[in-house]
Amino acid sequence: MKEGGVSMRAWVRGLGVGAAFAASAAAIAAPAPQSTSLTDALAVLKSHRFVDLTHAFAPGIPHWKGAPDERVKTLYTVDKDGFRINEYCHIGQWGTHVDPPAHFHTGLHSVDQIDPKDMLMPLVVIDVHEKVAKNPDYVLGLDDVAAWEKRHGTVPAGAFVAMRTDWSKRWPDDAKLANKDSAGVFHYPGWSKEVLRLLYEKRGITASGHETTDTDPGSSTSKDDYSLESYILGLNHFQIELLADLDQVPEAGAVVWITFPKVQDGSGFPARVIAVVP
């Protein structure tokens, strides 16, 4: 196929990973007579580096303070039965996980109602890890978004915006992630309402995520204040918690896909988050 006299393969390759993703999405929507454009777009994506932004989950991993530990029971073994089957018992919000709107709001989207097209997104990483190193109670501010946009342009509509704090480097030490003081107050970073309102209501992003157990900073969750998480989910958008390895992806130019089982009426579930990096 030709595009203005240029082969489709050369055209897609020249776009780079971010634009190639957009091109493949457009190709899906267009009534193309052949599928070569999707094949070329896939080849471009596979030529780039893949980064897993997911923690492996198991009993004993860091988790929200109100959650019980995971239990794993082996029901069948290869030696005895010729195959292995384990039974896993954990809450939906376990490990790196998706929080659908139904997690906080009755009648809004559950896990199985999240549109698959919303699982493929441009990746925006707002890096505040140096500020967090100096102040574990740091809250993402409008100036952080403005600085990102000065470097990379306006946050694109439909993006997945991740806050990089390097808090995931404390994994798998639950006490270090909670960072609780002698008075029982948690000290870990979080989002601000101003930033979330800008990103969701003005920029039109699809979802957001972070490396901590909560959207709200530890100073708020110590008081069981989860108003910022409720705000996101109340807009009928989803979020991802306990992301990993955001230091391995650029601030802009990558794409991300997020997958999770299709749990009927699910209020949350472990997720797999993978970035494709130019």
Side-chain angles (χ1 to χ4, degrees):
M1 179 178 177
K2 297 287 185 179
E3 178 72 21
V6 181
S7 72
M8 179 60 75
R9 182 178 296 275
W11 175 67
V12 174
R13 182 175 293 113
L15 287 174
V17 65
F21 167 77
S24 63
I28 293 173
Q34 67 283 323
S35 61
T36 53
S37 60
L38 285 178
T39 301
D40 288 339
L42 180 61
V44 170
L45 292 174
K46 286 193 171 184
S47 71
H48 292 282
R49 185 166 59 96
F50 284 44
V51 178
D52 196 339
L53 303 180
T54 316
H55 291 294
F57 68 79
I61 63 168
H63 52 273
W64 175 64
K65 63 181 182 180
D69 199 4
E70 178 186 13
R71 302 188 306 276
V72 179
K73 180 180 180 181
T74 300
L75 302 180
Y76 300 91
T77 66
V78 173
D79 290 343
K80 181 180 177 181
D81 306 294
F83 52 87
R84 181 186 179 199
I85 295 179
N86 286 343
E87 178 182 75
Y88 302 91
C89 182
H90 55 73
I91 65 165
Q93 277 67 24
W94 193 251
T96 303
H97 64 268
V98 58
D99 286 325
H103 179 39
F104 271 48
H105 299 280
T106 301
L108 297 187
H109 287 166
S110 52
V111 165
D112 52 316
Q113 294 173 324
I114 294 175
D115 194 326
K117 71 181 180 182
D118 289 336
M119 300 178 189
L120 286 163
M121 295 164 277
L123 176 60
V124 168
V125 178
I126 301 179
D127 181 3
V128 293
H129 81 280
E130 292 183 352
K131 296 179 179 179
V132 170
K134 297 175 183 177
N135 175 19
D137 295 309
Y138 188 78
V139 173
L140 192 70
L142 290 173
D143 56 332
D144 297 310
V145 180
W148 188 97
E149 293 191 325
K150 184 177 181 180
R151 293 189 296 272
H152 306 291
T154 303
V155 171
F160 178 81
V161 179
M163 176 171 58
R164 177 189 165 189
T165 59
D166 283 0
W167 210 253
S168 66
K169 294 183 182 298
R170 296 170 178 244
W171 186 277
D173 191 319
D174 195 25
K176 288 183 177 179
L177 259 82
N179 201 28
K180 184 165 59 175
D181 65 21
S182 59
V185 177
F186 300 122
H187 296 279
Y188 53 77
W191 297 80
S192 69
K193 182 67 172 290
E194 294 75 20
V195 164
L196 292 173
R197 183 181 292 118
L198 170 68
L199 293 175
Y200 280 99
E201 298 186 30
K202 300 291 182 62
R203 299 296 185 260
I205 69 170
T206 292
S208 56
H210 41 270
E211 299 168 74
T212 56
T213 56
D214 299 289
T215 313
D216 301 77
S219 57
S220 296
T221 61
S222 299
K223 300 176 288 186
D224 291 324
D225 177 1
Y226 304 101
S227 56
L228 298 182
E229 180 170 358
S230 181
Y231 167 75
I232 293 173
L233 304 185
L235 296 174
N236 224 9
H237 288 267
F238 70 91
Q239 67 169 18
I240 300 294
E241 294 190 316
L242 288 171
L243 288 165
D245 295 326
L246 286 173
D247 60 331
Q248 300 299 309
V249 296
E251 291 188 342
V255 297
V256 65
W257 82 78
I258 298 171
T259 65
F260 38 81
K262 190 175 181 180
V263 184
Q264 185 173 337
D265 197 31
S267 61
F269 215 77
R272 192 74 179 265
V273 183
I274 301 172
V276 184
V277 178

